[in-house]
Amino acid sequence: MSTSPLRAALPPLAALVLFLGLWEAATRALSTPVWLLPPPSAVAAAAARDAASLLSAAFTTGRSALVGFGLSAGVGVLTAILLSSSRLLERALYPYTLFLQTVPIVAIAPLLVLWFGPGARAVAVSSFIVSLFPVIANTLTGLRSVDPALRDLFRLYGARRVATLWKLELPAALPHLFTGLRIASGLSVIGAIVGEFVAGFSEDAAGLGILVLSAYRQLRTDLLFAAVLAASVLGLALFGAVSLTGARLLRRWHPSASGT
C-alpha cells in the first residue's frame, strides 16, 4: 500500500518544527547574543529583509552550479565509458580520477582564478571538479555490473561494440549513473560556493559564497544563516530534479524506482 506524499512529508516536517521550536526557546532562555547564535525568528526576519539579495545570490550560484553539474555529468559519463572499454586503460587512468576526490578545492582555487579569471567561469570549474568523481565512479560501476549472460547473448548474436553499449550497458548502468548524479548535484553547489570564496569577485553579481563572507565580516550571523539556508535549498532543488528525472526514467522497469 503506497503512502500519500502528504503523509510521507509529515514526520520530517514535524521533526523540523520541533527542532526550530527548541532552538528558538533555547536561544531566548539562555539570552544568547544574536551575533553568536540567532534564533530562527531572527533568521527568518533577515531572509525577508534581504530577500532580493538572497535571490540574486542564489541565482548566481545556481547558474555556476548548473554549469559545473552539467559538465560533470557529460564528462563523467564519457570518461566512464572510455575506462570501461579496456581493463588496462582503467587500471592506468582510474587512480588519477581519485585526485579529483582528494584534492582540496580551496587549495587550487587560486590557480583557477589565474587560469580562468575571477568570476563565474572559475566558480563553474570549481563546481565541475568537485562533482566529477561520483559520476565517473558510479557510472563505471554500473557499466561493469552488467549480467555476463546478457553480454554473452549480445556477443553470440554478433552485436557491435556501439550496439552493446547503447542497448545493454548504458540502460543497465542507469541506476548507478543516477546515484552518481544525485551525489554530484549536491557537491556541485558546495563546489560553487567554495569557488566563490576565492574566485567569486568580479563584475558579475555576488553569489551565496560572497554573501556568506560579507555577512561574516559584518557579524550579521542572521543573514549568514539565511544564506546557508538558501544554499541548502538550492542543493535540495537540484537533487530533487535529478531524483525525479531518474525516477521517471526507471520507474517502469527497475525496482529501485518502482518500489517493488
Side-chain angles (χ1 to χ4, degrees):
M1 183 177 179
S2 61
T3 305
S4 66
L6 180 58
R7 291 187 63 182
L10 282 178
L13 285 176
L16 177 62
V17 171
L18 178 62
F19 172 74
L20 293 177
L22 292 174
W23 178 2
E24 182 82 24
T27 53
R28 292 184 180 277
L30 298 174
S31 300
T32 307
V34 175
W35 60 266
L36 182 62
L37 181 63
S41 57
V43 176
R49 184 172 58 249
D50 295 279
S53 299
L54 286 168
L55 287 174
S56 176
F59 176 80
T60 300
T61 301
R63 181 178 56 190
S64 298
L66 278 175
V67 172
F69 174 71
L71 287 173
S72 68
V75 174
V77 171
L78 291 177
T79 302
I81 292 173
L82 177 64
L83 296 180
S84 70
S85 65
S86 168
R87 289 286 185 180
L88 178 61
L89 196 61
E90 180 183 349
R91 289 196 299 269
L93 299 181
Y94 185 76
Y96 295 103
T97 64
L98 293 172
F99 175 79
L100 300 171
Q101 186 72 7
T102 58
V103 61
I105 192 64
V106 175
I108 66 170
L111 291 175
L112 300 181
V113 177
L114 291 176
W115 294 338
F116 300 98
R121 284 186 298 178
V123 173
V125 172
S126 172
S127 174
F128 162 69
I129 292 174
V130 171
S131 59
L132 177 59
F133 179 77
V135 182
I136 296 176
N138 284 276
T139 304
L140 183 59
T141 299
L143 293 172
R144 291 296 191 197
S145 300
V146 176
D147 189 345
L150 293 177
R151 288 188 185 274
D152 292 340
L153 182 63
F154 270 67
R155 192 179 298 112
L156 178 65
Y157 280 94
R160 295 180 179 274
R161 176 73 183 105
V162 175
T164 302
L165 174 67
W166 185 252
K167 296 182 179 180
L168 174 63
E169 294 178 349
L170 281 178
L174 279 179
H176 292 83
L177 168 59
F178 275 100
T179 298
L181 291 177
R182 284 194 293 268
I183 298 171
S185 63
L187 291 177
S188 65
V189 177
I190 295 173
I193 291 177
V194 172
E196 286 173 346
F197 287 162
V198 178
F201 293 96
S202 72
E203 71 279 359
D204 300 323
L208 290 172
I210 301 302
L211 195 60
V212 166
L213 289 177
S214 175
Y216 164 72
R217 289 166 180 163
Q218 299 174 30
L219 286 181
R220 294 189 60 190
T221 315
D222 51 354
L223 180 59
L224 191 153
F225 269 81
V228 171
L229 178 61
S232 299
V233 171
L234 188 61
L236 286 173
L238 188 53
F239 180 90
V242 173
S243 298
L244 181 61
T245 303
R248 287 186 176 275
L249 288 176
L250 300 175
R251 65 182 176 180
R252 293 186 177 180
W253 64 275
H254 199 273
S256 66
S258 63
T260 59

